[in-house]
Amino acid sequence: MGGFARIYNNKIIILVNDAEKGNDIDLQEAQKILELAEANVRKAKGKRQTIEANLALRRARTRVEASNAIS
């Protein structure tokens, strides 16, 4: 849900801000949150609101994709 990866000597180190298992995600709830996030992007005003809305949208999409990958 945000972070970075480093590759060194054919090993990957991943540091993230937040993580959850795909099978712990309720797909219906995740899709509802995605729809709200899309609406918030459309009605965002100003640079800060737009940035925050887009970050929330990326997180919501990632959660839906993770849940779908498990299903």
Side-chain angles (χ1 to χ4, degrees):
M1 300 291 185
F4 63 94
R6 179 178 181 198
I7 302 172
Y8 182 74
N9 287 337
N10 290 326
K11 294 183 181 179
I12 299 174
I13 298 171
I14 301 173
L15 300 173
V16 296
N17 298 327
D18 190 19
E20 64 185 306
K21 294 179 181 179
N23 57 356
D24 290 343
I25 299 170
D26 179 339
L27 180 56
Q28 289 180 342
E29 179 185 341
Q31 287 176 324
K32 202 179 296 186
I33 292 170
L34 176 58
E35 291 171 9
L36 288 171
E38 290 169 339
N40 286 338
V41 166
R42 288 191 297 271
K43 65 182 181 183
K45 294 186 169 111
K47 189 173 185 175
R48 183 178 178 98
Q49 274 189 357
T50 301
I51 290 169
E52 289 174 352
N54 278 307
L55 287 173
L57 178 60
R58 285 178 36 203
R59 179 182 171 101
R61 277 190 188 140
T62 301
R63 291 184 81 238
V64 169
E65 289 171 6
S67 181
N68 281 330
I70 300 300
S71 301

